[in-house]
Amino acid sequence: MPTRILPAVGDADAVRSLTTLLSQLPDAEPVAPVVDSTQLVGTLARLAAESVDELPEVVVVHERIGPVPALELIRDVALRFPAVGVILVTSDAGPGLFQAAMDYGARGLVALPLSYEELASRVRAVAQWSAGVRRHLGSAVDVFTGVGGTVVTVSGAKGGVGTTLTAVQLALAAQASGRSAALVDMDLQAGDVASYLDIQFRRSVADLATITDISPRVLADAVFRHDTGLALLLAPGEGERGEEVTDRAARQIVTALRARYEVVVIDCGAQVSGASAAAIETADTALLVTTPDVVSVRGAKRTVRMWDRLQIRKAEETTVVVNRHTRATEIQPPLIQKITGTALAATAVPANFKELQAAVDAGRVHELDSRSTVKQALWGLAGELGLVNVPEGDRRGGRGSVGFRRRRDGGG
């Protein structure tokens, strides 16, 4: 039986050299390469949803894959797809990296420049290992079978611009349309999702920070199931525990959620932490909420520039949402788009706090009246972003999703 090999390489030249060598290996069946970490995980999840037997025996990960670093990606694959053997291709073949790669779950390491003999030897050994694992575990292999959901982060230009309300309503809209949705409070020291939904729950995102194997059962234990059906992963009640959630832990948590839910909405607040930066970096859509006033717009511009300097997100990959919009204000959405250099959501959320006050004070924003213009705008934004199921008869050939979306699978 041929060995199916999936290359994960972001560099075009490296793709050509690697696929050429792989095609020359005896009994090898290279499949179309994936170009980034998100696409790799999405492809494997889609195959696993059909059957574990559909998974490739070998995945070859290049050291310059992104946006998730190669070693962390290897750990994600090893944890979620234990019957898949991973080989790291790297220019540093020293004992330190070799040991680290093994600790993260790699089954082999191949040095650059590539050697046919070394690559053939490693692929053969890893393929035999993978076949042995599948033979012994059979159908008992525990993998996430989700196809890879859509991840949307919601950040604020500054505090008080409506970030949490936006995140909550986007998640509620997705859930109400029939999609499985999760809402994550990644504003680790000042998160208010629990207050907005009037709930108390002992477990939080911090409880997953030190777990290296976030299985479906472990994830389910940390998630609170709201009356609306929404899955909630809350910020810790003790703000100092937010420091336990590192960027590495955040990537692993987002990966687990993406595989479990069709839509994952993450409230990142207005402060950038390592965890929120990791979430924003790997999201399909990154929203930045601002209000049409000088202070907030300056904050939005400052945030966009910081994300670019830190290589978290480029301006053109960020979508600005204007909240509390009125026709009378001097600063209109097109001007905000010009100042920030970002994409702009076509849906602007109107200023009408009177509609919200009673629901916010009661912690029942999920019971906001459907006639509310604010709710209608936010649910319209969810539709604009492609977060809701649209009945076949309601589909129109008009405006599609907005902003920059990162590819997650092999589709065009």
Side-chain angles (χ1 to χ4, degrees):
M1 182 178 177
T3 300
R4 292 161 297 180
I5 308 170
L6 176 58
V9 188
D11 182 81
D13 293 333
V15 167
R16 284 191 292 271
S17 62
L18 180 58
T19 52
T20 298
L21 276 180
L22 290 175
S23 64
Q24 297 173 3
L25 300 181
D27 299 323
E29 185 184 310
V31 297
V34 294
V35 299
D36 60 38
S37 57
T38 306
Q39 191 180 355
L40 172 61
V41 173
T43 299
L44 293 176
R46 188 175 62 254
L47 294 171
E50 299 175 15
S51 169
V52 173
D53 293 333
E54 295 298 318
L55 290 168
E57 285 77 20
V58 180
V59 169
V60 180
V61 174
H62 193 275
E63 63 180 354
R64 289 198 296 272
I65 196 72
V68 175
L71 288 179
E72 294 182 19
L73 175 60
I74 288 171
R75 182 173 66 177
D76 287 343
V77 172
L79 290 173
R80 292 183 52 189
F81 312 100
V84 175
V86 185
I87 297 174
L88 174 64
V89 176
T90 176
S91 55
D92 178 13
L97 181 60
F98 180 85
Q99 184 60 52
M102 297 304 107
D103 290 343
Y104 276 75
R107 302 304 307 177
L109 185 146
V110 176
L112 290 169
L114 293 171
S115 158
Y116 173 86
E117 290 78 11
E118 183 182 11
L119 184 61
S121 173
R122 283 290 91 211
V123 168
R124 188 184 313 112
V126 173
Q128 291 174 352
W129 172 86
S130 176
V133 170
R134 297 179 193 208
R135 187 167 55 250
H136 287 293
L137 296 182
S139 60
V141 179
D142 183 21
V143 297
F144 285 103
T145 57
V147 296
T150 298
V151 175
V152 177
T153 56
V154 186
S155 305
K158 68 178 188 66
V161 296
T163 307
T164 300
L165 179 67
T166 301
V168 170
Q169 291 298 329
L170 290 178
L172 287 172
Q175 182 69 34
S177 76
R179 307 188 75 180
S180 60
L183 174 61
V184 185
D185 197 341
M186 201 67 81
D187 189 359
L188 298 172
Q189 293 185 339
D192 283 323
V193 168
S195 297
Y196 272 56
L197 296 174
D198 191 26
I199 58 173
Q200 294 182 346
F201 190 59
R202 288 187 303 120
R203 295 184 179 174
S204 73
V205 65
D207 294 310
L208 296 175
T210 58
I211 298 176
T212 58
D213 182 7
I214 304 180
S215 66
R217 182 177 301 176
V218 169
L219 183 62
D221 288 341
V223 165
F224 178 85
R225 183 67 63 178
H226 192 257
D227 293 342
T228 58
L230 198 60
L232 303 176
L233 187 56
L234 303 172
E238 305 80 18
E240 63 273 16
R241 290 199 63 198
E243 298 180 359
E244 300 173 19
V245 187
T246 63
D247 56 342
R248 180 181 299 173
R251 287 194 182 95
Q252 187 175 350
I253 292 166
V254 172
T255 297
L257 288 164
R258 187 197 288 276
R260 197 71 171 171
Y261 299 95
E262 295 176 85
V263 174
V264 180
V265 180
I266 305 176
D267 178 1
C268 293
Q271 300 295 322
V272 177
S273 64
S276 64
I280 295 166
E281 181 184 39
T282 57
D284 300 293
T285 301
L287 301 181
L288 182 61
V289 181
T290 185
T291 48
D293 57 83
V294 172
V295 175
S296 295
V297 174
R298 284 178 176 172
K301 183 178 180 180
R302 185 168 58 244
T303 298
V304 168
R305 287 183 172 180
M306 178 173 63
W307 287 359
D308 187 58
R309 288 195 306 271
L310 297 177
Q311 298 183 343
I312 298 171
R313 199 92 180 183
K314 295 179 181 178
E316 60 269 23
E317 298 175 355
T318 303
T319 299
V320 162
V321 177
V322 180
N323 188 26
R324 299 175 197 151
H325 172 259
T326 65
R327 294 179 181 270
T329 185
E330 185 175 345
I331 301 176
Q332 291 295 313
L335 177 59
I336 297 174
Q337 180 183 24
K338 183 177 180 180
I339 291 172
T340 58
T342 63
L344 177 69
T347 303
V349 184
N352 201 336
F353 185 71
K354 287 183 178 179
E355 296 179 350
L356 303 174
Q357 187 167 9
V360 170
D361 289 346
R364 311 285 292 181
V365 295
H366 54 288
E367 296 178 355
L368 192 61
D369 195 311
S370 295
R371 293 171 296 180
S372 161
T373 57
V374 175
K375 179 176 179 177
Q376 289 176 1
L378 288 171
W379 284 41
L381 176 63
E384 185 181 343
L385 297 171
L387 304 184
V388 299
N389 284 329
V390 180
E392 199 64 37
D394 293 343
R395 295 184 187 276
R396 298 170 185 170
R399 184 178 62 213
S401 56
V402 67
F404 180 91
R405 283 176 168 271
R406 296 185 175 181
R407 287 175 51 183
R408 299 192 312 280
D409 51 42

